[in-house]
Amino acid sequence: MTRKKIIHTGIALLLAGLPVIPVLAQESNASIRELKAVIGKYPDSLGAHHQFIAAFRKSIPNASFRNGDSVVSLLKGQYEQWAKQFPKSAIVPFALGEAFADVESPKARPYLLKAVALNPRLAPAWRDLSIDADRWGNQDGAREYMGKAAAADPSEPGYAFYYAMDFEHVDGKKWRTMLYDLAKKFPQSERGAQGLYWLGARSRDTAEKITVYEQMRAAYPPAKFSWSSGGMDDLFSIYLKTNPVKALALAGALKSQEGWGAKDTLAGKIVTINTLMEQRQFKEAADMLAGIKLPRYSRLTTFIAQLKAQAAHGMGNTLEAYNRLATIYAKEPTDDLWKGLEVYGKAQGKDHQQIENDIWQIRQQTIKPAPPFKLGLYTSSGTASLEDYKGKVVLLTFWFPGCGPCRGEFPHFQSVMDKFKGQDVAYVGINVSPDQDEYVVPFMKGTGYSFTPLRADGDWAAKVYKVRGEPTNFLIDQNGQLVFTDFRIDGSNERTLELMIGSVLKRK
């Protein structure tokens, strides 16, 4: 449990009418016996329970996150005794339920439900129930539980934030209204800035993005709020592409902040480069572009490449311009890149099919066989192998039910999959956490996601597919070849996945 969560939990206990009782100061020296004695005297001291559970974990050899479920299960007997001894204590079942929830165990729910039955004002229990419901695929329940957490502790912006976010894919208008209200209600909280950040980041309308980010800048100074600082990075990128003079002004205003020292220089160069392009001084523009060095994972890489291609084409080096965009498009296709390829391709007498062929020549340099697999199904006692999907394009994702980024990506995957219904496209999800198996089938039924869930574990995924974290995604062609690897999809780039799949479908 993080320190921030402990603080919020303590506040929630006070609001729920429960005492936050001091426990042993020397946690590292406190024995399990001493802590049990404290709980016997103060059963509603959540801090004592936290210390007891932590001490118990330390007493188990090789205890880790992966076997956390079984470690916590060893506490059930003790907590059943305390539950009988203190039948009116909501903290006793909550402490065990929270311990299960912290290791993302399906065993958490009955203890959390018992806690809120005893004390409906126990906001942290409602929060953990909400997160747990999400893993079961019960999105309506997750939203309802987080709403109860927010109602039980209206002073906690975190509950209000997550309750608002639960409406994103259900009621977009209400989602926006709630996040704006959050910013008004909590003007001194990072959560308010975070809400505006996601409003801007998830919008597909450039004008709306700018409006939201500018509001965030005014309400939450970037020097003080980290989410606002992140939003300014997005805003700078937008301005650099649409209005570099404003990008220059923004960078100048934030120049004293960490990471902004060179951005005013970059914006100034783009202003000059655009002027040179307008004056058809392409050689001078190309020379300036050659001097621009971006960080490795900059979101501006494609934008600068497009400018370099424009300058090269202006100088008559159309093949260079074409090849530059083709290399990027081969890995991460977008409609804007294709438009450029059509312009530069047409100038060389290339038609649509010839451009496609060129793209595939680039892809062939990195395409390799996908590692074969034969894994158990969750939907039956049978198995599924990669060979079973021969003749189909396969979207393969490695995930586990407790993975928030995985659950956040699924709606966008499903949106794209729905566009290929009836076509030779398969959607497969390999769960890498067997200790969360109990969640999988209910999650599939509750969400309605169409992927076929398969059984594996983290060691297998790391060894066979070199997976280092979840989600990790691959697109496999009809012949079992890895075409696209290590990509992420969200609301801003669903079209990229659509273009990937469509392109592979054409190559049989």
Side-chain angles (χ1 to χ4, degrees):
M1 175 179 287
T2 65
R3 180 175 179 273
K4 191 172 185 180
K5 184 176 178 183
I6 291 171
I7 292 171
H8 289 164
T9 299
I11 294 170
L13 294 179
L14 289 171
L15 289 169
L18 293 170
V20 182
I21 300 167
V23 294
L24 297 175
Q26 298 298 322
E27 179 179 343
S28 60
N29 297 324
S31 70
I32 292 176
R33 181 184 299 177
E34 290 172 316
L35 290 165
K36 286 174 67 176
V38 172
I39 293 172
K41 189 174 182 180
Y42 303 110
D44 286 336
S45 171
L46 186 58
H49 287 281
H50 287 161
Q51 288 193 15
F52 170 71
I53 292 171
F56 184 85
R57 286 177 187 272
K58 291 178 182 178
S59 73
I60 305 297
N62 301 317
S64 67
F65 175 83
R66 286 297 181 188
N67 63 7
D69 180 294
S70 58
V71 172
V72 176
S73 292
L74 296 174
L75 291 165
K76 288 175 63 177
Q78 176 62 71
Y79 273 89
E80 286 173 358
Q81 289 181 25
W82 279 330
K84 291 178 182 178
Q85 186 178 355
F86 309 107
K88 295 183 179 180
S89 172
I91 293 300
V92 169
F94 172 62
L96 185 60
E98 182 187 48
F100 276 125
D102 283 348
V103 294
E104 300 174 351
S105 169
K107 297 174 184 176
R109 184 169 57 176
Y111 300 102
L112 297 172
L113 287 171
K114 177 66 173 176
V116 295
L118 287 166
N119 185 353
R121 295 180 62 198
L122 193 55
W126 289 119
R127 170 204 61 207
D128 287 348
L129 278 167
S130 176
I131 297 170
D132 180 71
D134 221 5
R135 298 185 192 118
W136 289 104
N138 182 5
Q139 295 169 327
D140 290 342
R143 188 165 52 254
E144 178 185 352
Y145 289 143
M146 193 59 75
K148 290 185 176 183
D153 186 357
S155 68
E156 170 49 50
Y159 301 149
F161 168 76
Y162 285 112
Y163 184 43
M165 291 300 290
D166 280 340
F167 286 90
E168 181 182 3
H169 300 293
V170 177
D171 186 337
K173 184 177 180 180
K174 185 171 183 177
W175 171 66
R176 282 174 168 80
T177 299
M178 290 177 74
L179 288 179
Y180 279 125
D181 289 344
L182 174 75
K184 293 177 183 177
K185 185 176 180 181
F186 299 102
Q188 300 302 317
S189 170
E190 277 283 359
R191 292 297 190 183
Q194 186 180 11
L196 292 179
Y197 173 87
W198 285 118
L199 271 178
R202 298 278 173 84
S203 174
R204 302 186 188 188
D205 180 78
T206 300
E208 182 183 32
K209 282 178 176 286
I210 292 172
T211 298
V212 172
Y213 286 142
E214 287 289 11
Q215 178 179 338
M216 180 173 65
R217 179 187 177 192
Y220 298 93
K224 182 179 178 181
F225 296 92
S226 60
W227 281 101
S228 185
S229 179
M232 292 308 97
D233 281 337
D234 287 354
L235 182 60
F236 177 77
S237 297
I238 293 169
Y239 277 153
L240 203 64
K241 298 170 186 177
T242 61
N243 191 333
V245 173
K246 285 191 174 183
L248 180 59
L250 178 64
L254 301 179
K255 185 175 176 62
S256 62
Q257 296 183 33
E258 184 179 356
W260 283 83
K263 287 185 177 179
D264 61 337
T265 301
L266 174 60
K269 287 183 178 180
I270 298 301
V271 170
T272 302
I273 287 165
N274 283 348
T275 299
L276 291 171
M277 295 275 206
E278 291 170 2
Q279 296 173 350
R280 304 188 62 79
Q281 297 181 45
F282 298 111
K283 173 66 167 61
E284 291 80 359
D287 289 343
M288 286 196 72
L289 285 162
I292 292 177
K293 305 299 181 184
L294 297 174
R296 184 176 180 183
Y297 297 109
S298 173
R299 69 187 70 191
L300 295 169
T301 300
T302 298
F303 169 65
I304 297 299
Q306 289 173 309
L307 287 178
K308 288 180 177 180
Q310 184 181 346
H313 177 60
M315 291 189 295
N317 299 329
T318 303
L319 180 60
E320 176 189 335
Y322 177 83
N323 288 339
R324 187 181 295 278
L325 297 193
T327 299
I328 300 172
Y329 186 92
K331 184 177 181 180
E332 191 173 354
T334 68
D335 290 321
D336 283 345
L337 285 170
W338 184 262
K339 288 177 183 177
L341 284 171
E342 285 190 316
V343 170
Y344 305 141
K346 185 177 180 180
Q348 300 172 82
K350 295 178 182 285
D351 61 16
H352 183 102
Q353 188 57 55
Q354 288 172 309
I355 297 173
E356 286 276 13
N357 292 342
D358 290 342
I359 296 298
W360 277 97
Q361 282 189 352
I362 296 170
R363 287 177 181 155
Q364 291 294 342
Q365 298 172 21
T366 56
I367 288 176
K368 58 184 179 182
F373 60 77
K374 186 174 184 179
L375 300 170
L377 290 158
Y378 282 93
T379 51
S380 72
S381 59
T383 61
S385 68
L386 181 60
E387 183 67 21
D388 294 336
Y389 295 103
K390 189 171 184 179
K392 293 186 177 182
V393 177
V394 180
L395 172 60
L396 176 64
T397 184
F398 287 82
W399 74 296
F400 61 97
C403 171
C406 303
R407 298 196 305 270
E409 196 169 41
F410 285 147
H412 306 294
F413 278 165
Q414 192 61 53
S415 175
V416 175
M417 287 298 101
D418 289 344
K419 296 176 182 178
F420 291 96
K421 280 184 178 179
Q423 301 188 53
D424 289 328
V425 181
Y427 182 17
V428 178
I430 298 179
N431 173 36
V432 300
S433 292
D435 56 343
Q436 295 186 22
D437 279 354
E438 193 175 340
Y439 283 126
V440 174
V441 172
F443 178 82
M444 300 301 299
K445 290 181 178 178
T447 60
Y449 295 141
S450 64
F451 66 87
T452 300
L454 302 181
R455 302 173 184 270
D457 59 44
D459 291 339
W460 180 88
K463 180 180 179 180
V464 178
Y465 271 82
K466 312 303 180 188
V467 173
R468 296 291 179 265
E470 291 76 33
T472 296
N473 306 311
F474 302 91
L475 195 67
I476 303 171
D477 73 8
Q478 299 90 328
N479 299 308
Q481 302 287 309
L482 288 171
V483 180
F484 295 100
T485 63
D486 195 25
F487 56 88
R488 292 289 303 276
I489 301 298
D490 57 32
S492 68
N493 69 343
E494 281 185 14
R495 176 62 175 161
T496 288
L497 179 58
E498 186 180 344
L499 291 169
M500 288 177 177
I501 295 172
S503 180
V504 178
L505 272 174
K506 294 176 185 176
R507 298 246 338 163
K508 295 185 179 180

